């Protein structure tokens, strides 16, 4: 994201100190600012766009500094599709002696305009014991490259490090390595992920593209994004947090007898800000850019009937902060609500979250006079404008029609009753009904017990805190969550049927309703 007002997704990272100068559409990046004699620094010149971009010099030597053009490439800076595209020209910079130097005036041409690198200052120290020695062979090829002694690293990254409470962000894991031919990366199934004070959900059909090689801790490392789990995260508390801590298992799938390693992840450090004060009365926590729509509003209705109408809140941002507003008129009741959130290409051309929340209301009409409802107001915090905004819907007037007349039905006359059945027939029917009832009760119990077993098996080994976290993500209420956690707390000590058999009738009904609710969430 460029800033707090746009949901673009920049995914190129430089993880060491570097110098950046932006001149219009062209950006110069030089790193590191200090290196040893015999090694080289890298100058990246990046143009944002797809117009003609070329280097005007391929080799330059000035004041003891040598600059060599070593190649070009492109970079995709978006999730899913190419929304922002950059072209990159790469230069190597080295010297013949130690000391403090300035970068020569390297010029490039983009869209028939000339751009010159600024005189960036850098320092060259004494020769390192392990020189890169790549001046005459910048791209050495080794047929059987020996594995590196340096351990791989897995880090958790977010597209924003500073954001507001309630604002959704994206998080993902990246493997940094230099000794693998074909890296293998899987998350340790025995380890949970730490997202303190964050709501998390896994995004589907979303991929992340980053630079295949980056400088990390002054070493050139290859990268691999763990695309099986890319998260949408929403902070519920302000402060400074470390998120994404877990463990991964990595190795080289093409190297014979390669050992798998357990890697502790480096969590991301993020700062969550409180929203500005002076919130509107109608504000319930929505952050983004939304609009209001009124649908299915009746033009007329009959007295003593219920008029139904639907209010839709939709737009860029998460739905977590969108809540039905309390109505001053007690005759207006919330009937139902439907929520959906997708990660997609927005109208601005960028990628982000788009939410649609529908509220169905009902109004009980009592008088015959024309009906005018109080305007519906919704407030949200606009990231684009960095301020609170309030939207309002003015309801049309409803014409009230007289109460519908209900036709009275005359009761039919009682026909002549036949002679009552014999006592033996009544006893036989009573016994048959009794056995049928017992058989039905047993069949019903076995069916309900089987549904209970399937629900417990879907939980896997989740118990106690882990089960509670799982159920809360499925939007199960705290009361129902505590009920299931307590019910399964001693699960290993008794069979499933015994656990279910010990429940009261109301508790069994509650378990079955929760099972249906979980199936819907799936």
């Amino acid at each position: 994201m460029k800033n707090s007002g746009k949901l673009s997704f920049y995914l190129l990272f430089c993880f060491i100190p570097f110098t950046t100068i932006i001149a219009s559409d062209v950006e110069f990046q030089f790193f590191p600012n200090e290196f040893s004699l015999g090694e080289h620094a890298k100058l990246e010149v990046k143009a944002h766009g797809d117009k003609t971009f070329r280097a005007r010099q391929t080799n330059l030597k000035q004041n003891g500094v040598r600059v060599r053009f070593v190649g070009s490439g492109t970079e995709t800076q978006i999730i899913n599709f190419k929304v922002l595209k950059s072209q990159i020209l790469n230069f190597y910079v080295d010297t013949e002696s130690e000391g403090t130097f300035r970068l020569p005036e390297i010029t490039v041409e983009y869209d028939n305009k000339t751009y010159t690198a600024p005189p960036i200052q850098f320092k060259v120290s004494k020769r390192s014991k392990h020189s890169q020695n790549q001046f005459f062979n910048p791209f050495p090829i080794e047929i059987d490259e020996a594995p590196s002694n340096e351990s791989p690293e897995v880090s958790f990254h977010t597209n924003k490090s500073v954001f507001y409470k309630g604002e959704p962000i994206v998080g993902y894991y990246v493997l940094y390595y230099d000794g693998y031919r074909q890296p293998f990366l899987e998350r340790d199934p025995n380890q949970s992920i730490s997202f303190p004070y964050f709501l998390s959900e896994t995004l589907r059909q979303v991929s992340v593209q980053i630079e295949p090689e980056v400088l990390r801790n002054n070493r050139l490392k290859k990268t691999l994004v763990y695309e099986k789990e890319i998260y949408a995260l929403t902070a519920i508390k302000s402060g400074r947090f470390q998120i994404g801590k877990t463990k991964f298992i990595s190795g080289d799938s093409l190297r014979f007898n390669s050992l798998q390693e357990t890697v502790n992840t480096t969590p991301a450090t993020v700062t969550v800000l409180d929203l500005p004060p002076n919130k509107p009365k109608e504000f319930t926590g929505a952050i983004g850019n939304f609009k209001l729509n009124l649908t299915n509003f009746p033009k007329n209705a009959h007295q003593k009937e219920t008029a139904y109408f639907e209010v839709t809140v939709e737009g860029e941002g998460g739905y977590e902060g969108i809540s039905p507003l309390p109505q001053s008129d007690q005759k207006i009741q919330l009937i139902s609500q439907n929520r959906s959130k997708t990660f997609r290409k927005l109208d601005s051309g960028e990628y982000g979250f788009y939410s649609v929340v529908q509220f169905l209301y009902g109004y009980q009409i009592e008088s015959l006079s024309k009906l005018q409802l109080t305007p519906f107001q919704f407030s949200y915090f606009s990231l684009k404008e960095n301020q609170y905004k309030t939207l309002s819907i003015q309801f049309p007037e409803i014409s009230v029609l007289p109460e519908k007349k209900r036709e009275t039905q005359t009761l039919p006359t009682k026909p002549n009753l036949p002679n009552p059945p014999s006592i033996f027939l009544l006893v036989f029917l009573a016994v048959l009904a009794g056995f049928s009832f017992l058989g039905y009760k047993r069949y019903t119990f076995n069916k309900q017990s089987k549904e209970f077993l399937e629900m417990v098996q879907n939980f896997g080994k989740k118990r106690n805190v882990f089960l509670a976290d799982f159920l809360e993500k499925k939007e199960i209420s705290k009361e129902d969550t505590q009920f299931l956690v307590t019910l399964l707390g001693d699960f290993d000590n008794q069979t499933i049927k015994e656990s279910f058999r010990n429940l009261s009738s109301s508790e069994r009904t509650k378990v079955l309703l929760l099972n249906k609710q979980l199936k819907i969430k799936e």
Side-chain angles (χ1 to χ4, degrees):
M1 300 181 186
K2 287 184 179 179
N3 52 42
S4 61
K6 292 186 178 180
L7 279 172
S8 61
F9 203 111
Y10 286 86
L11 296 171
L12 175 65
F13 297 93
C14 294
F15 297 100
I16 66 170
F18 60 85
T19 301
T20 301
I21 301 293
I22 299 177
S24 186
D25 294 327
V26 175
E27 177 181 345
F28 293 85
Q29 296 180 347
F30 181 84
F31 50 90
N33 285 334
E34 184 174 349
F35 55 94
S36 300
L37 187 64
E39 298 180 351
H40 62 254
K42 187 176 182 181
L43 173 66
E44 283 188 356
V45 188
K46 184 186 301 183
H48 301 291
D50 54 3
K51 298 177 181 178
T52 303
F53 186 42
R54 67 183 184 90
R56 300 192 64 179
Q57 302 121 319
T58 56
N59 288 280
L60 177 65
K61 183 175 181 181
Q62 187 179 93
N63 298 327
V65 179
R66 294 179 294 191
V67 182
R68 296 166 292 121
F69 175 69
V70 294
S72 61
T74 60
E75 173 187 281
T76 302
Q77 297 172 299
I78 197 63
I79 290 180
N80 280 343
F81 302 97
K82 295 179 181 179
V83 174
L84 294 177
K85 183 178 179 181
S86 298
Q87 302 178 72
I88 300 175
L89 301 178
N90 293 312
F91 297 85
Y92 281 161
V93 180
D94 65 355
T95 65
E96 297 176 339
S97 60
E98 59 184 275
T100 301
F101 301 89
R102 290 187 179 276
L103 184 69
E105 294 184 352
I106 301 297
T107 56
V108 296
E109 185 176 300
Y110 178 65
D111 192 22
N112 296 322
K113 297 180 183 178
T114 300
Y115 300 88
T116 303
I120 301 171
Q121 183 173 301
F122 61 95
K123 183 179 179 180
V124 180
S125 56
K126 292 182 179 180
R127 182 181 297 271
S128 170
K129 293 183 180 180
H130 305 285
S131 174
Q132 292 171 327
N133 194 22
Q134 291 182 337
F135 179 77
F136 295 103
N137 186 18
F139 302 105
I141 300 177
E142 295 182 15
I143 297 176
D144 190 13
E145 180 185 0
S148 172
N149 292 327
E150 188 168 345
S151 299
E153 180 185 358
V154 178
S155 289
F156 187 70
H157 296 295
T158 57
N159 62 310
K160 273 190 174 185
S161 59
V162 180
F163 46 91
Y164 288 107
K165 181 175 68 175
E167 177 186 355
I169 62 170
V170 175
Y172 54 95
Y173 290 96
V174 178
L175 169 68
Y176 300 95
Y177 67 98
D178 56 5
Y180 296 153
R181 293 178 179 177
Q182 181 171 320
F184 164 82
L185 184 66
E186 285 293 340
R187 190 165 66 82
D188 189 339
N190 299 318
Q191 300 291 325
S192 59
I193 306 179
S194 175
F195 292 131
Y197 304 108
F198 277 79
L199 301 175
S200 66
E201 60 181 302
T202 304
L203 295 175
R204 298 182 179 181
Q205 299 179 345
V206 175
S207 62
V208 174
Q209 298 179 13
I210 68 173
E211 191 74 359
E213 290 186 337
V214 298
L215 277 171
R216 188 167 178 84
N217 301 325
N218 288 329
R219 292 181 62 90
L220 191 63
K221 294 291 188 71
K222 296 179 181 179
T223 64
L224 174 67
V225 177
Y226 185 65
E227 293 191 326
K228 293 183 180 179
E229 294 179 357
I230 299 175
Y231 291 94
L233 303 171
T234 305
I236 58 176
K237 182 179 180 181
S238 60
R240 188 174 177 84
F241 307 102
Q242 286 192 328
I243 58 176
K245 186 176 182 180
T246 187
K247 289 185 179 181
F248 276 81
I249 300 172
S250 68
D252 193 337
S253 58
L254 291 183
R255 191 175 295 279
F256 181 69
N257 284 337
S258 173
L259 297 177
Q260 294 183 353
E261 303 177 64
T262 300
V263 184
N264 290 314
T265 60
T266 302
T269 301
V270 296
T271 301
V272 182
L273 306 175
D274 280 318
L275 291 171
N278 302 323
K279 302 174 183 177
K281 182 178 64 173
E282 299 83 9
F283 181 74
T284 56
I287 300 176
N289 187 30
F290 300 95
K291 59 184 178 181
L292 277 180
N293 291 314
L294 177 65
T295 56
N296 300 326
F297 195 83
K299 295 181 179 179
N300 52 63
H302 289 272
Q303 185 184 11
K304 294 187 178 181
E305 288 187 347
T306 302
Y308 297 96
F309 58 92
E310 190 174 74
V311 176
T312 302
V313 182
E314 64 176 305
E316 302 174 8
Y319 59 55
E320 288 77 10
I322 302 176
S323 302
L325 298 178
Q327 298 294 325
S328 57
D329 192 340
Q330 296 182 354
K331 296 179 182 178
I332 299 180
Q333 298 293 328
L334 177 66
I335 307 301
S336 65
Q337 55 181 300
N338 184 34
R339 297 168 177 267
S340 65
K341 180 174 65 176
T342 56
F343 191 83
R344 72 179 204 187
K345 188 176 182 180
L346 305 176
D347 294 339
S348 60
E350 302 166 351
Y351 272 74
F353 295 98
Y354 193 90
S355 297
V356 179
V357 181
Q358 297 172 322
F359 297 116
L360 177 63
Y361 291 94
Y363 184 89
Q364 184 66 34
I365 300 175
E366 295 181 354
S367 64
L368 275 172
S369 58
K370 289 187 177 182
L371 182 62
Q372 182 67 62
L373 301 181
T374 305
F376 185 96
Q377 291 188 323
F378 167 74
S379 296
Y380 66 94
F381 182 76
S382 172
L383 291 173
K384 186 177 296 184
E385 302 179 23
N386 201 32
Q387 64 178 1
Y388 294 102
K389 298 191 69 176
T390 299
L391 304 178
S392 179
I393 288 181
Q394 186 71 34
F395 293 110
E397 192 177 69
I398 300 177
S399 298
V400 181
L401 305 177
E403 180 181 357
K404 287 183 178 179
K405 293 183 179 180
R406 292 176 173 81
E407 295 182 358
T408 58
Q409 296 181 351
T410 57
L411 296 176
T413 58
K414 293 183 179 181
N416 294 328
L417 295 177
N419 294 328
S422 66
I423 187 66
F424 298 103
L425 179 60
L426 292 176
V427 171
F428 172 76
L429 292 176
V431 173
L432 180 62
F435 280 109
S436 300
F437 177 75
L438 292 177
Y440 175 75
K441 291 285 288 185
R442 185 170 183 177
Y443 167 77
T444 303
F445 173 79
N446 290 334
K447 181 181 178 182
Q448 293 175 345
S449 180
K450 184 178 179 181
E451 292 180 1
F452 176 64
L453 172 61
E454 291 177 352
M455 180 181 70
V456 174
Q457 289 176 341
N458 288 334
F459 292 158
K461 296 183 179 180
K462 300 182 183 71
R463 295 295 183 272
N464 301 324
V465 177
F466 299 100
L467 179 58
D469 181 66
F470 173 79
L471 294 173
E472 288 178 3
K473 289 179 181 178
K474 295 292 185 180
E475 298 182 2
I476 303 300
S477 67
K478 291 184 178 179
E479 179 183 352
D480 293 340
T481 297
Q482 186 60 40
F483 170 71
L484 286 177
V485 170
T486 304
L487 175 62
L488 300 183
D490 299 325
F491 177 73
D492 294 334
N493 299 332
Q494 50 186 335
T495 64
I496 295 174
K497 286 189 176 181
E498 288 174 346
S499 299
F500 190 72
R501 192 188 303 276
N502 293 334
L503 296 177
S504 64
S505 177
S506 61
E507 289 175 332
R508 291 180 189 174
T509 303
K510 186 175 184 179
V511 167
L512 297 175
L513 289 176
L514 289 174
N515 184 31
K516 291 182 179 179
Q517 187 175 352
L518 288 171
K519 287 184 178 179
I520 293 175
K521 296 297 181 181
E522 294 177 357

